[in-house]
Amino acid sequence: MLPILSGMSPESLADWLRLAGQPAFRCSQILDWIWKKQADSFAAMSNLPATLRNDLSENFRLHGLSHTHTQGAADATRKFLFRLGDGRYVESVLMAANPALYGESSDRHTLCVSSQVGCAYGCKFCASGLAGFARHLQPGEIAGQVLAAQRLSGERVDNLVFMGMGEPLANFDHLLAAIALITGPKTLHLGARHLTVSTAGLVPQIRQLAEHPQQIRLAVSLHGASDEVRDKIMPVNRKWPLAELLDALDYWNSLKKQKLTLEYILIANINDSQEQAILLARHARRLHAKINLIPYNTVDGLEWQRPAESHCLAFLATLGRAGVTATLRLEKGHDIDAACGQLRLKQETTEGLVH
Ligand code: SAH
């Protein structure tokens, strides 16, 4: 399969053009077409000579994803389904900004992107891992989700969260290459502070990303405040138990300025006890982290339940009394299976959607 032009770094594009005997300014022209003018064909690149457009189309695919379906939710969240070059699918979810964070009149948009097809980590509550791991996404397939979402919605994406399908830190090199495209001045040019990488807790990669010079944000899917609870629901905890994870997060804090986020799904009778709330508050205080509580979203085929709202509020209140900043997350997109944990491999069902 041809390489993806929009996934190329400006440096490698410049190299390719030089070898093809092209003047240096062609590189900026092409990058502008891709990233600023959001061209969706080589033919649209009208200031390039026809021979060069032809040469490009023989050597590259312009984009790595083609849009097959959009599903809209009542709260203006949209889920895009994309087909990859090899016929597999990924989803991205565009959310209007949370008015609680940005004010009612805000028109900011956050895109939730996928980093892999499927996931190998097998968290017991999550839909994405149910069908196992298929493959890593290429840098162009990750950054391309932003380009495609902007083109399809006509909106500018202001914030990006790596909270779609997959474990971004397991696809580390491609993640960094995609981040370079998303933040690069010649490409998408979004500030690193507007990017949040979410991880199930891959300790060596957390340490490695801490050393990365950009001020990217980190969210950690904690979901259990003791090894006993976390072991039951997140197999990754057996490899990197809480003590090692917390040490890695201290290291993160020693090198990064932005507050960490601890994500904590509330699952009835699994991790929602007062004891867990007290332990969670202790970890958050140690890390100066804020906590995002997410009432569990039911997943077809899994028997877990979300606790009653009053129970979630009591958990929240315990954190508050312990002096920790916590929010009970307002879920977006629950009605279109686009809420957290609901992006999953749907090859068979999605085939039916492609006309
Ligand atoms: N692998 C990374 C990126 C995926 S993020 C990570 O684990 O962080 C997806 C977020 O949704 C994670 O916080 C995940 O734990 C959460 N999630 C998974 N299943 C969920 C469910 N059924 N209800 C609510 N949140 C869920």
Side-chain angles (χ1 to χ4, degrees):
M1 212 175 305
L2 294 175
I4 302 164
L5 188 69
S6 54
M8 263 178 121
S9 68
E11 299 73 30
S12 24
L13 179 58
D15 285 348
W16 188 87
L17 289 165
R18 195 168 27 77
L19 290 174
Q22 293 291 331
F25 67 89
R26 295 285 179 221
C27 185
S28 325
Q29 284 181 321
I30 294 170
L31 291 172
D32 274 1
W33 279 113
I34 295 173
W35 296 99
K36 313 282 190 248
K37 302 181 203 158
Q38 311 208 78
D40 56 8
S41 70
F42 291 109
M45 303 182 177
S46 53
N47 58 359
L48 303 185
T51 48
L52 174 57
R53 276 185 265 155
N54 202 34
D55 213 7
L56 288 172
S57 66
E58 279 172 4
N59 287 283
F60 299 99
R61 293 177 280 157
L62 178 53
H63 296 299
L65 330 124
S66 58
H67 173 242
T68 58
H69 193 71
T70 301
Q71 233 174 319
D75 60 9
T77 297
R78 275 156 286 177
K79 176 169 73 168
F80 303 113
L81 183 69
F82 300 111
R83 195 183 164 99
L84 305 172
D86 61 358
R88 299 187 193 274
Y89 292 90
V90 282
E91 293 163 308
S92 324
V93 182
L94 186 66
M95 295 161 280
N98 184 343
L101 289 176
Y102 295 108
E104 289 295 338
S105 60
S106 161
D107 60 353
R108 282 166 171 265
H109 289 83
T110 295
L111 187 71
C112 176
V113 296
S114 298
S115 53
Q116 299 179 314
V117 184
C119 184
Y121 285 83
C123 298
K124 298 277 199 293
F125 45 81
C126 178
S128 292
L130 278 182
F133 172 72
R135 71 167 171 90
H136 293 306
L137 292 186
Q138 297 290 319
E141 292 169 331
I142 300 173
Q145 294 170 58
V146 191
L147 278 178
Q150 293 196 152
R151 225 177 23 245
L152 291 164
S153 66
E155 312 280 5
R156 160 114 188 140
V157 169
D158 310 283
N159 291 294
L160 209 71
V161 293
F162 291 88
M163 297 187 183
M165 212 192 284
E167 169 51 50
L169 294 189
N171 188 10
F172 198 80
D173 294 345
H174 293 175
L175 173 75
L176 284 192
I179 288 176
L181 291 170
I182 291 162
T183 57
K186 293 180 179 164
T187 45
L188 195 67
H189 209 187
L190 196 63
R193 282 174 181 72
H194 298 278
L195 268 56
T196 302
V197 172
S198 182
T199 180
L202 277 62
V203 162
Q205 289 92 330
I206 290 173
R207 290 178 174 275
Q208 225 178 319
L209 193 62
E211 290 165 8
H212 184 75
Q214 288 180 296
Q215 289 291 330
I216 301 157
R217 291 175 190 257
L218 187 69
V220 179
S221 292
L222 205 65
H223 311 324
S226 61
D227 282 328
E228 193 202 349
V229 171
R230 214 167 179 259
D231 275 347
K232 269 192 229 153
I233 55 180
M234 299 182 74
V236 68
N237 196 64
R238 290 191 208 119
K239 184 142 190 198
W240 294 294
L242 263 178
E244 285 181 43
L245 177 57
L246 296 173
D247 281 350
L249 298 176
D250 284 336
Y251 184 62
W252 177 276
N253 278 338
S254 72
L255 294 167
K256 299 283 198 223
K257 299 190 191 95
Q258 313 288 335
K259 266 188 185 237
L260 280 167
T261 301
L262 301 179
E263 307 195 75
Y264 198 96
I265 309 175
L266 288 164
I267 311 174
N269 305 318
I270 302 287
N271 64 358
D272 60 344
S273 68
Q274 284 298 311
E275 292 74 39
Q276 286 288 300
I278 289 160
L279 280 176
L280 176 60
R282 193 176 299 162
H283 302 320
R285 275 202 310 267
R286 159 174 171 179
L287 299 169
H288 310 290
K290 53 186 178 182
I291 300 174
N292 249 346
L293 296 177
I294 313 155
Y296 180 70
N297 290 312
T298 49
V299 171
D300 284 350
L302 300 179
E303 78 279 24
W304 315 80
Q305 301 290 329
R306 68 163 60 179
E309 196 175 305
S310 57
H311 196 88
C312 296
L313 289 169
F315 196 96
L316 178 69
T318 302
L319 299 176
R321 276 195 303 276
V324 171
T325 310
T327 52
L328 189 58
R329 199 150 97 188
L330 199 144
E331 277 301 335
K332 293 177 182 290
H334 197 236
D335 52 338
I336 55 169
D337 276 1
C340 294
Q342 298 181 322
L343 296 176
R344 61 189 292 185
L345 298 167
K346 275 189 176 167
Q347 243 104 331
E348 310 93 287
T349 29
T350 48
E351 289 296 351
L353 298 172
V354 183
H355 304 295

